[in-house]
Amino acid sequence: MKALVYKGPGQKSWEDVPDPVIQHPTDVVVRMEATTICGTDLHILKGDVAAVEAGRVLGHEGIGVITEVGGGVTQLAVGDRVILSCISSCGVCSNCRQGLYSHCLSPEGAEGIGWIFGHLIDGTQAELVRVPFAENSVYKVPEGVSDAEGILLSDILPTGFEIGVQYGQVKPGDVVAVIGSGPVGLAAVMTARLYGPSRIVAIDLDDARLARAREFGATDTVNSGADDWKDRVLATTDGLGVDVAIEAVGIPGTFTMATELVRPGGHVANVGVHGRGVELALDRLWISNIDISMGLVNTNTLGMLLKLVAAKKLPADQFVTHTFTFDQVLEAYDVFGNAAEHDALKVLIAR
C-alpha cells in the first residue's frame, strides 16, 4: 500500500510500505476513504515531537471501511464504514473507565498515552490502517454523514468542545472569548453555541479568519493587532471581563491574553499546544478566583457530536476548504502548511 512516511525532520514521502495486519484480537484493519492533516503533523515534521521515529506513517484522523476484524471483535464487521478516533483506548483500564481515554494505560504504543496513531504506531495517512481496541476507538457512520463531516469528528470538533467548551464550563448567558480562529478555535466557536452563551467573541490577527468565525457562530470579532483590542473585547461584557476565555493558538502571548480578559470567578481553558513554557502572573491572578484548565482530548464526546452532525445541527463540513486525492498528499501538506496564503482551514484527502 501507499502511505505518507516521516523520514526525519523536514522530510516526508508518499511511498510503498507493507500492508498492516491484525496483531491483537481486538484489532481491525480499515481501508481509508478519507484522511486529513493536523497542526500536530506539522509539529512532527519540524522535529518537535521526539517520540516520532523516522519510518512512521503519519496521521491520526480518518474515515474508512473495515476490511478485516480480529477474533475478539464482535460489535463490528467487514464492510462497516467508521470514523477513527484520534485517541485509541482499551476501555477497561482505570483511566478509560473514568472517560480519560487520552491516558489509556494499555502498553500499545506507550502506557498512559492514548494518542498513538502517527505518533507511536503507524497512522491514518495511508491506504490501510490497523486500529487497536477497535470497539472502543471507532464509531459507525450513520447514513447521510459525508466524509467531509465525519473527518472533523476524529479530532478537532471533540478537541474544541471538550477542552475548550466543557473544560471552560460555558453556561447559558456567558460571554465567551475564543482566542485564535484556526480550525480548533472555530470548533470551539461552533460547539460553544450548544450551551447558549449570550456572546461569542472571536479574536485573531487575520481578518479573513475572523470573517469565517462569524460564519461559524461568533457574534463579535476583534482583531488583536488593533491598539484597543482589549477594550473592544471588554465592551462586549459589563466591563469586568469575559466569563470564559478559550486559548486556541499555543503561544505564550495568547495564553497571557486569556488571563487578562477573564473576569473574577471566570474560566481560562487552554486548548493550544504549547511548545515552550508560559509565565503565569500568579501574583495578580491568585486573588481573582480564576479556574485554569488544559488537556489532551479524550474523544469521549465523539458519539454525541456525531448525532448532532448527522442531524445537521453542527455543519461540520464547513471546515473543509480544500480537497485532494491520496496521491496529492504532498500538495495537500503544502497548502495546509501555508494556510494563510491559501485561505485554508482543513484539507480533505480522499479516494
Side-chain angles (χ1 to χ4, degrees):
M1 71 168 185
K2 293 280 191 180
L4 196 283
V5 180
Y6 174 65
K7 311 294 281 189
Q11 301 177 67
K12 59 187 181 296
S13 175
W14 179 248
E15 61 184 51
D16 289 307
V17 300
D19 289 0
V21 297
I22 298 289
Q23 297 182 17
H24 306 289
T26 53
D27 292 350
V28 300
V29 173
V30 174
R31 183 186 74 245
M32 300 304 296
E33 296 295 317
T35 186
T36 186
I37 304 168
C38 178
T40 306
D41 298 318
L42 301 184
H43 280 292
I44 291 170
L45 284 166
K46 291 177 183 176
D48 293 343
V49 187
V52 181
E53 300 176 346
R56 176 70 63 223
V57 175
L58 295 182
H60 54 265
E61 301 161 89
I63 186 168
V65 176
I66 294 175
T67 60
E68 188 177 357
V69 299
V73 175
T74 61
Q75 304 301 310
L76 299 167
V78 171
D80 285 345
R81 182 167 170 255
V82 293
I83 296 167
L84 281 62
S85 167
C86 66
I87 300 296
S88 302
S89 53
C90 71
V92 297
C93 72
S94 58
N95 282 346
C96 284
R97 292 176 76 154
Q98 297 178 65
L100 197 62
Y101 297 157
S102 59
H103 295 282
C104 176
L105 295 170
S106 164
E108 175 87 42
E111 184 175 322
I113 299 177
W115 168 46
I116 56 177
F117 277 140
H119 177 207
L120 302 174
I121 69 170
D122 286 340
T124 61
Q125 291 169 11
E127 293 178 321
L128 296 164
V129 62
R130 177 183 72 91
V131 182
F133 314 120
E135 291 187 336
N136 206 56
S137 302
V138 305
Y139 294 77
K140 294 181 184 179
V141 184
E143 285 291 327
V145 174
S146 68
D147 288 348
E149 292 170 317
I151 201 75
L152 275 300
L153 289 156
S154 284
D155 184 355
I156 70 163
L157 209 59
T159 294
F161 180 58
E162 293 175 22
I163 309 303
V165 177
Q166 288 194 326
Y167 277 26
Q169 299 184 39
V170 175
K171 302 183 300 299
D174 278 355
V175 177
V176 179
V178 180
I179 303 169
S181 294
V184 173
L186 293 175
V189 168
M190 178 179 284
T191 57
R193 295 183 300 168
L194 298 173
Y195 286 89
S198 60
R199 303 180 88 153
I200 302 172
V201 186
I203 304 168
D204 202 282
L205 287 168
D206 187 332
D207 285 333
R209 290 212 159 176
L210 290 174
R212 286 194 187 278
R214 284 196 177 271
E215 296 173 5
F216 280 74
T219 58
D220 303 86
T221 58
V222 173
N223 189 309
S224 52
D227 291 338
D228 63 344
W229 71 268
K230 185 176 178 181
D231 291 337
R232 291 174 59 191
V233 175
L234 293 180
T236 66
T237 75
D238 56 6
L240 296 179
V242 301
D243 300 285
V244 182
I246 297 173
E247 196 283 338
V249 180
I251 60 175
T254 49
F255 180 83
T256 299
M257 286 171 63
T259 64
E260 292 175 345
L261 290 175
V262 71
R263 67 188 298 114
H267 298 266
V268 172
N270 182 85
V271 188
V273 177
H274 290 263
R276 58 192 176 98
V278 176
E279 184 174 340
L280 184 63
L282 281 175
D283 56 332
R284 175 178 61 83
L285 295 171
W286 75 269
I287 202 169
S288 295
N289 298 73
I290 293 169
D291 285 337
I292 299 176
S293 62
M294 62 200 72
L296 175 64
V297 66
N298 290 300
T299 66
N300 54 17
T301 64
L302 196 159
M304 179 271 287
L305 293 171
L306 177 56
K307 291 179 183 178
L308 292 172
V309 170
K312 310 303 178 185
K313 302 295 185 183
L314 291 175
D317 56 335
Q318 289 183 11
F319 285 91
V320 175
T321 56
H322 295 72
T323 301
F324 300 90
T325 58
F326 272 61
D327 59 1
Q328 295 174 313
V329 65
L330 297 178
E331 182 182 346
Y333 261 92
D334 180 66
V335 168
F336 187 74
N338 298 281
E341 178 183 339
H342 297 280
D343 194 22
L345 288 178
K346 292 293 280 187
V347 298
L348 182 70
I349 304 167
R351 285 185 182 274

